[in-house]
Amino acid sequence: MDYMKQLYDLAEHSRNMAYAPYSGFKVGAAVKSRSGKLYAGCNVENISYPCGTCAEAGAIAAMVAGGDTVLAEILIIADTADILPCGNCLQKIAEFGTPDTLVHSADLKGNIKTYKLADLLPHNFNAKEVKHA
Ligand code: THU
């Protein structure tokens, strides 16, 4: 199976697990790290709304817990034509990605649009003063 199908299937499976009783909007995400390993996440909402987390955040947390810190590609899937990461998640993707990191936006019919991170977030917070030593 080619890796795009794997990424899609993983994100779709994760979306089915989403906990979104408040918005009713389920989102899945799957990440491919530079090492080639795949990780998935879904949105997890909370009755205290700001405590909820996005699918991308879950997938990135799984990637880091899996020992990978270089994000090559991420696929996001929802029941909408053009799901794109929120601003907060773009910053999270930027932490582990590069301007060339691919962001795939998928719907439930199998349509996929691909962007580069640099197109979605041309500038981001990256002050060298706060970089670790
Ligand atoms: N959400 C994501 O998980 N990822 C996105 O890229 C956009 C929004 C979630 C957050 C919330 O649980 C629901 O979708 C509606 O905003």
Side-chain angles (χ1 to χ4, degrees):
M1 194 194 303
D2 73 278
Y3 84 87
M4 272 303 285
K5 168 120 180 70
Q6 274 182 287
L7 258 192
Y8 184 94
D9 287 352
L10 202 55
E12 187 188 31
H13 179 263
S14 207
R15 179 186 171 276
N16 289 331
M17 300 296 131
Y19 179 76
Y22 306 105
S23 72
F25 190 74
K26 294 183 166 202
V27 185
V31 156
K32 180 171 170 275
S33 67
R34 189 173 60 186
S35 73
K37 283 206 261 176
L38 307 183
Y39 302 93
C42 59
N43 55 332
V44 180
E45 298 185 345
N46 192 284
I47 194 162
S48 176
Y49 292 2
C51 297
T53 49
C54 286
E56 296 90 325
I60 289 171
M63 179 189 81
V64 173
D68 279 307
T69 51
V70 185
L71 196 168
E73 305 191 26
I74 184 165
L75 185 146
I76 301 135
I77 185 167
D79 189 13
T80 186
D82 201 1
I83 174 103
L84 287 171
C86 71
N88 190 311
C89 286
L90 287 172
Q91 178 73 29
K92 290 187 203 306
I93 294 167
E95 179 75 18
F96 300 104
T98 70
D100 290 328
T101 290
L102 298 179
V103 179
H104 308 286
S105 165
D107 66 20
L108 298 182
K109 295 176 192 148
N111 300 307
I112 301 176
K113 286 189 201 166
T114 298
Y115 302 83
K116 279 191 176 181
L117 179 59
D119 297 326
L120 302 177
L121 188 69
H123 306 284
N124 63 282
F125 179 71
N126 194 21
K128 63 181 182 313
E129 288 78 7
V130 294
K131 279 263 165 78
H132 59 76

